[in-house]
Structure formats: structure tokens, C-alpha cells
Amino acid sequence: MKRNVISSLISTDLVGQSVTVCGWVRTFRNDQFLAVNDGSCLQNLQLVLDRDATDESLRKLLTTGAAIRATGQLVESQGGGQATEVKVEEVEVLGAADPDEFPIQMKRHTMEFLREKAHLRFRTSTFSAVFRLRHALQFAIHDFFNSDGFYMLHTPIITGSDAEGAGEMFKVSTSDPDQEFFGKPVNLTVSGQLEAELGAMALGKVYTFGPTFRAENSNTSRHLAEFWMIEPEVAFNDLSDNIDLAEACLKHVLRYVLEHNLPDLEFLANREAEAEKQLPADKRNATGLIERLRSVTEGAFVRLTYTEAIDLLRQSKPFKKKKFKYPVEWGVDLQSEHERWLVEKKFNCPVVLTDYPAGIKAFYMRRNDDGKTVAAMDVLVPGIGELIGGSQREERLEVLKEKCAEFNIPEDHIWWYLDTRKFGTAPHAGFGMGFERLVMFATGMTNIRDVIPFPRAPQSAEF
Ligand code: 4AD
Ligand code: MG
């Protein structure tokens, strides 16, 4: 179907030309003004109908949600609010949407309601903006790594290993439970890291960008059972190179959307400001969305060790006033209340925590000289908490074998992983960035289920 996308018609470049527009009706006012959106941009195009020339039966079908095609002349808009409009010569309804049944009417719906209508929520300005940004972010990620000489590696989705050792795997089998299709138990991957390391030990710089699956039974606004992760892995990098890479990557992708997706970001910034009016002052973001993203692209990230963070937390007001729900002492895993205090209250910028206690991190992280901590790093950002988790990897075969024993990982399960330490081992490092958490951060959306088209979470796998 030959048509002009609306993004090419909202500026005056094509004024005077005859155009064909296809899209979905957002509103129809005064039997004359049709606001139409085709997804190519946030803005609707105004179509002006000749009231006398459109018969009533047709007008009745021009309701919110209907798909239409119209032709006419693009002219400079008579009214305010838009630069152009179309003087319609012909309009055709391709698919009606019964107003008594179509659930996405032009009023404010709750996010919960729209989640139940995830098949139709793309039709709202909010979700179309979010998903255009999701696209732009993934494009910017590929752009960043490609420009920096990385090779993208597709790592398997079905695997026999549990990279993170957290035991949160989904088993994979055929409908016959007695038949072991792969000759051994397998699961959906929780991370492509172990395989990415194998690639990095020859290709130098690789990254994966794929779906990962975790049966974490945590019904939070920041966890999904199926999410996408970006995992770069670089030979000859140490922990500090790894942090530099994470910082550069995050800054690049945010700069990219600030440059290419400003109308969508501005819309979401206003939406957030509106929504925050309902919240008590201390629950609101200190600054607006766009300012938040800009400040991340401009300022340096704060870097401190886990041990320093524990000290700061124990000196903090909420700790002294017993406001934290979870304990703060050396050796415990930080909870999101602690992470958020650090990024939102103490530093108000991304914070990179390093050198965590070995016991709370995965087996593959490089043991530090103190024998107690490992060369881990987590990047925490305002509003989200942990966005990135990574480390320098244990490249010393003997130490790695000790770690396998400590973590009860049979060596014959990951003989191939150990082989890289036997043949030409070298320092290397990498990280994993949760893609949905990045989309949350960049859009200001507060629930992870609203930044992936069809969320998978406990008791929820519709669509
Ligand atoms: O910190 P994680 O568990 O690290 C790894 O998986 C490493 N193998 C990464 C690496 O070094 N190559 O997960 C990395 C990131 C987290 O920081 C978080 O952003 C995201 O993945 N993440 C989740 N996102 C949504 N839902 C979940 N259930 C998530 N679990 C982790
Ligand atoms: Mg982590």
C-alpha cells in the first residue's frame, strides 16, 4: 500500500503535495477533525474532513481505534498545535473499532489495566513512545559495540550450565519426561557469559545480546522471568577497564536517544511529572527525566568499594534511625533500599560498587589478594538500583578449581570452561546489563513489565 508515513508529514517539507495517510484514529472532533497516528512518531496528524462531503454512515465509523486510509493535500495548519494538516479528499475505513468494545479509549488508563490489554496497549502514546525508545536503545547498543571493534556472538539459549549458580533455572524437556532429548538435563540459559568468555579468548572483544530466563520467584517491579541481557566480554581487560567500558556504553546509548528520540522522551518526562504529582515529595525524582539522563551522560560515575559502601550505609541516617528493613553489615548482599540510598540520597548519580565479598558473588569472579573479596562491579543508577553486574574473571586454573569446589560445581560439567584457563589463559573481564532495566531508566517507567512487549513473570504468561 503506497503511503506517506506521518513522521514525514508533520513538518512543512511536503506542503502542497498530494499525500496518502494510513493509520489509526485517536480522536474525531466536531465531525471534522481526525487525529491519526501510524506509529512512525509520537505526534498525530490532523486530517480535516469536508463535513458536507462525508456521509453520516462513514463518519459513524471514524471512532477511536479504527484503521483508516485517507488521501488529500498537505497544507499548513490553520489551527495551533501542529505545523501541517491534510485537507482530506477521500477517506476509507479499513477496519472499524466498535466504541462499545474497544478498550483503549482516549482517557487515562491505569498501567495495570493496560498490562491486561498488552496486545492493544501499543496504541497508546505512552507505550508507543516506550517501544520506539526500546528499539533505539538496542540499536545504540549494537552501534556502540560495533564501532568499538566488538563481535556479536549468539550464545545458546538451551544449555546444561548454570552460569550464575543461583539455581533459578527453567528446565527444558520434551513432552515425554523419560526421554532426555539432549542426553543430559538442560535448562534455559540464565546468562550467555560462560560461552562469551570462550569467544573472547580468541576474538578478543565479543558481546551477546539475547534473552535470558530466571525462575526467581520475586514479584517485584524490577524482575522478569524472561529478560534480555547485553554481555560484553573482553580479553586482556581488568576490572577498571571493565568499569570504563560500562560507563562509556551507558553514556553512549543515553546520548543516542537524547539526540534521536527527544519528542518521545519529552512526552515521557511530562507523563512522569504528572504521575509524580500524586506522590509524596520524598518519593518523587529529584530531577526530571531528561535532566536525569543528561546528567548521567555528562558526569563521571562514582566508584567505591563494597566495604566503603557498607561503612557509608552504617553511618547513614536511615541506618541510625533503623529505617532499613534489611541488615547492613560486611558480608551481606545489598538490598535495593541500600542501593537506592547510595545513588539517590548520598551521591545522586550512578555509583559503581566494586570488590564484593566472595561469598555473595558467582564462582567465576577473580579472587582478590585479600582472599576475602572478588573483583566484582555493580553499576547502580537512580530509580532502579542495579543496572549492570560484572567482574574480572578468575583466569588462574588452580584458583578457579578451588572456587568450583567451594561452589559445588563438578569440574566435568564445565571442563570446556576450565580448558580456556589451561590453554593460553589471560586476564579478561565483562559485564551484563539488564536491557529492560536500561529501558526503565531511559523512559522513567517504574514497572519492568511496562518496558517489554509481553512480560513473563510468576503467574503471568498471557499473549
Ligand atoms: O548481575 P547478573 O546476575 O550478572 C550476570 O548474569 C553475569 N553473568 C553478567 C556478566 O558478567 N556477563 O545480571 C546482570 C544484569 C543485572 O544487573 C540486572 O540488570 C539484570 O541483568 N537482571 C534482571 N533483569 C530483569 N529481571 C531479572 N530477573 C534480572 N536478573 C538480572
Ligand atoms: Mg547482579
Side-chain angles (χ1 to χ4, degrees):
M1 217 176 257
K2 204 174 154 308
R3 66 179 175 112
N4 302 86
V5 286
I6 288 177
S7 58
S8 70
L9 303 179
I10 55 179
S11 66
T12 51
D13 297 353
L14 297 183
V15 158
Q17 295 197 16
S18 169
V19 297
T20 301
V21 177
C22 297
W24 292 269
V25 173
R26 286 284 171 85
T27 56
F28 185 36
R29 287 185 297 120
N30 297 352
D31 278 351
Q32 196 180 11
F33 300 109
L34 262 183
V36 176
N37 191 285
D38 69 358
S40 60
C41 60
L42 180 76
Q43 208 177 309
N44 302 329
L45 185 66
Q46 171 151 287
L47 308 186
V48 186
L49 270 65
D50 179 348
R51 220 179 311 204
D52 304 323
T54 345
D55 61 66
E56 178 157 4
S57 60
L58 175 65
R59 283 204 306 254
K60 279 210 169 118
L61 294 175
L62 295 173
T63 57
T64 300
I68 62 128
R69 174 168 53 186
T71 49
Q73 205 191 22
L74 190 71
V75 297
E76 282 193 33
S77 178
Q78 308 301 302
Q82 64 271 323
T84 59
E85 61 194 24
V86 174
K87 263 178 82 179
V88 174
E89 284 142 24
E90 206 185 321
V91 60
E92 176 191 354
V93 174
L94 302 173
D98 185 341
D100 294 330
E101 284 186 59
F102 183 59
I104 315 290
Q105 291 300 324
M106 292 306 293
K107 58 167 193 161
R108 215 168 251 295
H109 296 291
T110 66
M111 290 293 116
E112 291 76 15
F113 173 84
L114 290 171
R115 233 167 271 150
E116 285 165 16
K117 308 277 182 273
H119 57 311
L120 295 169
R121 66 179 177 170
F122 302 108
R123 302 276 187 93
T124 64
S125 295
T126 297
F127 284 97
S128 54
V130 165
F131 291 112
R132 275 189 296 271
L133 278 159
R134 186 178 163 109
H135 162 80
L137 289 163
Q138 66 86 33
F139 181 83
I141 285 163
H142 287 300
D143 179 46
F144 174 82
F145 287 114
N146 182 58
S147 309
D148 202 13
F150 279 73
Y151 302 110
M152 159 134 182
L153 204 63
H154 291 100
T155 51
I157 291 169
I158 298 174
T159 166
S161 60
D162 176 6
E164 294 306 300
E168 293 154 343
M169 297 170 306
F170 290 102
K171 280 187 199 147
V172 177
S173 66
T174 61
S175 48
D176 174 0
D178 295 329
Q179 198 201 349
E180 206 71 274
F181 187 93
F182 295 102
K184 63 173 192 172
V186 290
N187 50 272
L188 294 177
T189 186
V190 297
S191 155
Q193 178 196 323
L194 301 189
E195 291 90 350
E197 282 187 53
L198 312 180
M201 295 311 283
L203 293 163
K205 295 167 149 192
V206 300
Y207 72 106
T208 71
F209 191 159
T212 46
F213 307 86
R214 295 190 189 177
E216 284 173 291
N217 206 354
S218 44
N219 239 320
T220 80
S221 59
R222 281 185 284 274
H223 289 87
L224 288 167
E226 177 179 298
F227 62 100
W228 291 69
M229 189 160 38
I230 301 103
E231 295 184 277
E233 191 68 40
V234 185
F236 315 113
N237 262 12
D238 63 16
L239 188 67
S240 140
D241 302 322
N242 200 37
I243 300 172
D244 291 344
L245 181 68
E247 185 169 338
C249 178
L250 187 54
K251 286 181 168 169
H252 174 89
V253 300
L254 296 180
R255 254 183 232 125
Y256 181 91
V257 292
L258 282 166
E259 195 175 318
H260 294 89
N261 298 74
L262 206 50
D264 284 329
L265 287 174
E266 279 168 348
F267 174 83
L268 292 168
N270 288 335
R271 178 192 173 275
E272 178 187 87
E274 256 329 286
E276 285 188 353
K277 283 187 188 156
Q278 321 291 325
L279 298 177
D282 66 323
K283 293 266 188 282
R284 293 179 204 157
N285 281 292
T287 52
L289 176 65
I290 298 201
E291 205 183 318
R292 247 170 22 245
L293 301 182
R294 283 232 163 86
S295 76
V296 172
T297 66
E298 284 159 9
F301 295 6
V302 167
R303 302 180 185 196
L304 70 162
T305 65
Y306 166 90
T307 305
E308 289 165 337
I310 291 287
D311 289 345
L312 285 176
L313 284 161
R314 289 180 68 91
Q315 289 156 18
S316 72
K317 257 198 206 142
F319 181 78
K320 290 189 172 146
K321 294 193 168 162
K322 301 196 166 37
K323 289 253 168 76
F324 287 135
K325 205 169 136 207
Y326 295 92
V328 182
E329 58 200 24
W330 201 93
V332 301
D333 213 351
L334 294 183
Q335 300 294 324
S336 80
E337 58 179 359
H338 309 134
E339 298 177 339
R340 296 184 70 163
W341 180 82
L342 286 166
V343 284
E344 287 160 34
K345 296 283 183 291
K346 177 73 188 163
F347 295 110
N348 199 27
C349 73
V351 173
V352 190
L353 292 188
T354 62
D355 304 292
Y356 283 74
I360 57 172
K361 288 292 184 186
F363 79 101
Y364 52 70
M365 297 194 184
R366 191 175 196 279
R367 182 186 283 169
N368 286 330
D369 292 342
D370 63 13
K372 292 191 308 194
T373 60
V374 288
M377 60 103 160
D378 275 8
V379 181
L380 316 176
V381 298
I384 309 284
E386 181 189 337
L387 170 64
I388 295 173
S391 65
Q392 187 173 336
R393 318 306 189 189
E394 184 54 77
E395 86 284 13
R396 297 160 295 187
L397 181 62
E398 287 318 309
V399 186
L400 189 56
K401 283 183 168 175
E402 277 172 43
K403 292 289 286 284
C404 287
E406 279 167 31
F407 283 76
N408 292 318
I409 302 169
E411 286 180 22
D412 61 353
H413 280 196
I414 53 162
W415 59 272
W416 41 271
Y417 187 71
L418 297 172
D419 260 8
T420 52
R421 274 64 172 173
K422 244 195 254 174
F423 308 119
T425 193
H428 60 290
F431 63 79
M433 171 154 66
F435 185 53
E436 284 71 25
R437 298 216 183 150
L438 173 68
V439 183
M440 287 176 79
F441 184 65
T443 58
M445 299 298 281
T446 53
N447 192 312
I448 198 164
R449 297 172 196 208
D450 297 332
V451 299
I452 187 165
F454 302 106
R456 266 72 182 114
Q459 305 303 314
S460 156
E462 193 65 54
F463 309 106

